[in-house]
Each structure stands twice: as C-alpha cells, then as structure tokens.
Amino acid sequence: MKKHKWYQRKVVIIPVVILSGVVLAMQFFRPVIINPPVTGDVKVPHEVQAILKNSCYDCHSNETNLSWYDKIVPVSWLVAQHIKEGRSGLNFSKWDELSPADQKAKLWESINQISQGAMPLQSYTLAHPQAKLSHKDIKVLENYIWSLRVDNKPQDTSKIKALNDQAEAVKKAQKLAEIPKSPNGIAYIADYKNWAVISTTQRLDNGTMRIIFGNDIAMKAIKEKKISPWPNGSILAKAAFDEIEDTEGNISQGAFKQVEFMVKDDKKYRKTNGWGFSRFKTPAMVPYGKNANFVIECMNCHQPMEKNDYVFTLPIRQ
C-alpha cells in the first residue's frame, strides 16, 4: 500500500518538477523591454494627461511601467509584443513627430475607442485593473475631445472654392494611364462610387464627413446578417470629404480628401487578421505608405474591434 501511494506521488511530483524546470529555464530567454527617451509628450490638460498615463502609457509611450508579473516568461513575451504594436500605432512620447492635424486625429480616434470600450484591451485590464476607466474618466476625455471640434462656417467660401477647383481639375484631367496601387499591391477601385452606401460618419475634429460603401458581396452579407465574420470577397470603401454647411445648418459634401479600402480574404491577408488595407489620397489617388509595412498601422488601429471582425462602422441597418 505504501509503495502504491509513493508511486502516485511520483506520478504527480515528477511532471511538476519538470514543468517548474522548464519555466525556470524560459526565464533566461526573457525579451528586453526598454524605454527610449521621451522626445515630445502630448500637450493636454493635466486631468486628461493623468487619465492617459494611467490607462494608456504602458503600451503607448516610452514610459512603460512593468509589474513584476509582466516580467515573467511567457507573459513577458506577450507584453513585449503588445508594447511593440502599441508604440507603432500611437506613441505619446513621440507626439512632436506628428503634425497638429495628425495629433488631433490621433486623440479623436483614441478617445472614440475608449468611449466604445475597445480600449484599453480587456486582456490588459484583467491583469492591470488599475487601468480601467471610470464613467467620470470617460466623460472627462469626451468633454476634452469635443472641445477640439472644428465648427463649420456657414457658406465657407474656402471649402466651396476647393470643391469647385477640384471639379474643374477632374474635368480637365486625362484618364489615368495606369491604375494606382498601394505598396502592398491593392489597386484603386474606381467603381466603389457605384456601390451601395453602408453608413456615414463625421470627424468633428477636422470637419470632414465619411461615406462607407460596400460591394455586392458585402451588401449580401449585410442583408443575410452574416458579417461576423464578413465573407471573403467583401470590400468596404470609406471616402472622406470636406463638410460644407449652409446658413440653415444643412450639411453637404465638399471636396474629396481620400478613400480607404478594406478587402476581406482570410487566406491572402492572414497576417493582418484577414483584411487587406489600402488608402489613396487627393483626386490624384496617391497611394499611402512608403512601403508595405504601412498595413501595421492600419491593423493596430483596427485591432480593438476584433469582436466586430475589425470593422469600426457597422451598417445602419442589419
């Protein structure tokens, strides 16, 4: 009987000892997480900065403050990856490298994600409950971002002139000899303007309106309520325009700014969560990005919307 009990103990103890040894050995392969110098911190009111530092800076700045359990392998591998992706998408410690317009846009996007509950990531707040935002915190951030909104001037002559100039330029321009392509190979799709409209959004931070279009496959998926996930072949186009407001407060479409495409193919674009991204700016359709790595920025931005298959704007009707 004693021999049998000893055998049972061995069966339990030996795997535990082996596992402990493996975990201990793994600690020698801990990733190096460094905090580079802060070159230019975000300039916002103190109460706003305090909230951002508490809930965002560990992944989105060069002031990462690691807890003891963040340094243990394999957790540290995941933490290092989160920090790498977070800093590449938004780094408050390099705020001076962004233009004033981009600074405002980044704040607008960030606080919108916080308001929607997409940020901070749930996996992060589970391990760091102190980073959770209260309703009061969210209200402070929302009030601040609303203070940055651009108030459209009724009958804004500069915007109307930009629209007219653009229309004339398009009339005079010859047809493109070659369809422009983004650095990752996705070509501009001129036919998107003939697709059905899925939804519209506003960017009050820069006074623009966005119209989201969907191709036939996307519209069929919406009709059949099969967008979680979206089927392969779905293409979403988001076109941005100036907003022109008349004296009665009616909003109309102004000059074209850019168009972004999301192309669903879970095999071809497996590394970017099943979506191919591209962006074309100005009427000349200048591709965005110096090289194919620009998709990392797109993927990081859409990562918080994982539960919605990485799509921010849901159809008006489903």
Side-chain angles (χ1 to χ4, degrees):
M1 182 64 70
K2 289 182 179 180
K3 186 176 181 180
H4 179 67
K5 287 183 177 179
W6 169 241
Y7 177 76
Q8 287 181 323
R9 289 174 185 164
K10 282 179 64 179
V11 170
V12 174
I13 293 172
I14 292 176
V16 170
V17 171
I18 293 174
L19 180 60
S20 300
V22 170
V23 172
L24 183 61
M26 289 168 63
Q27 304 313 309
F28 292 97
F29 300 94
R30 186 181 302 160
V32 178
I33 300 174
I34 60 173
N35 284 331
V38 176
T39 59
D41 208 355
V42 59
K43 301 297 188 295
V44 292
H46 175 72
E47 60 179 349
V48 174
Q49 189 170 52
I51 295 170
L52 295 177
K53 283 192 172 184
N54 181 64
S55 299
C56 308
Y57 270 42
D58 276 352
C59 291
H60 294 284
S61 79
N62 294 343
E63 299 179 61
T64 301
N65 183 22
L66 297 176
S67 302
W68 65 267
Y69 46 82
D70 291 326
K71 302 175 184 178
I72 299 175
V73 175
V75 174
S76 59
W77 294 340
L78 183 62
V79 169
Q81 185 62 27
H82 279 177
I83 293 171
K84 179 181 178 181
E85 293 175 354
R87 287 176 177 174
S88 67
L90 170 62
N91 191 336
F92 287 111
S93 297
K94 294 184 176 181
W95 200 245
D96 60 332
E97 295 182 6
L98 299 174
S99 68
D102 286 340
Q103 289 176 354
K104 188 184 290 186
K106 283 291 186 183
L107 277 176
W108 182 269
E109 292 171 3
S110 300
I111 294 177
N112 268 339
Q113 289 186 24
I114 290 171
S115 297
Q116 295 171 13
M119 279 288 180
L121 295 175
Q122 187 176 14
S123 58
Y124 177 76
T125 54
L126 283 173
H128 305 82
Q130 73 280 4
K132 288 183 179 181
L133 287 96
S134 66
H135 292 299
K136 181 181 177 181
D137 292 335
I138 294 174
K139 193 64 179 175
V140 168
L141 296 178
E142 289 177 344
N143 288 341
Y144 173 69
I145 203 65
W146 273 92
S147 72
L148 301 179
R149 67 173 294 175
V150 172
D151 290 321
N152 281 324
K153 301 175 183 177
Q155 296 297 107
D156 189 329
T157 55
S158 64
K159 287 190 175 182
I160 294 173
K161 183 179 184 300
L163 176 62
N164 293 334
D165 290 347
Q166 191 177 90
E168 287 300 316
V170 170
K171 287 179 183 178
K172 294 178 182 178
Q174 297 179 348
K175 290 184 178 180
L176 292 172
E178 185 178 347
I179 297 174
K181 290 184 178 180
S182 63
N184 61 345
I186 296 179
Y188 167 68
I189 307 170
D191 192 49
Y192 81 86
K193 289 170 280 189
N194 298 318
W195 296 351
V197 174
I198 292 177
S199 186
T200 60
T201 62
Q202 285 181 293
R203 281 291 296 269
L204 301 180
D205 61 315
N206 58 17
T208 60
M209 63 188 299
R210 314 308 177 84
I211 302 175
I212 296 89
F213 302 85
N215 69 349
D216 289 343
I217 296 175
M219 298 311 296
K220 183 174 183 290
I222 293 170
K223 184 178 180 181
E224 296 176 354
K225 297 184 178 181
K226 296 180 179 178
I227 62 172
S228 185
W230 292 79
N232 284 343
S234 298
I235 305 178
L236 306 177
K238 181 171 68 176
F241 305 86
D242 272 337
E243 282 187 353
I244 297 178
E245 183 176 345
D246 64 20
T247 54
E248 296 180 357
N250 299 310
I251 302 295
S252 60
Q253 177 183 314
F256 173 85
K257 295 295 186 183
Q258 64 177 35
V259 61
E260 299 172 302
F261 295 99
M262 288 180 66
V263 182
K264 184 62 182 287
D265 188 324
D266 58 12
K267 293 182 175 60
K268 185 175 182 179
Y269 303 115
R270 178 177 54 84
K271 292 183 179 179
T272 50
N273 301 322
W275 289 97
F277 298 92
S278 63
R279 181 187 303 169
F280 301 90
K281 302 175 74 68
T282 78
M285 299 304 163
V286 178
Y288 177 81
K290 295 180 180 178
N291 53 54
N293 289 333
F294 80 92
V295 297
I296 296 175
E297 177 185 338
C298 303
M299 185 180 66
N300 289 344
C301 181
H302 285 260
Q303 186 67 38
M305 304 309 293
E306 181 179 3
K307 292 182 179 178
N308 291 334
D309 197 16
Y310 305 98
V311 175
F312 274 102
T313 307
L314 296 178
I316 294 174
R317 295 181 179 178
Q318 291 190 54

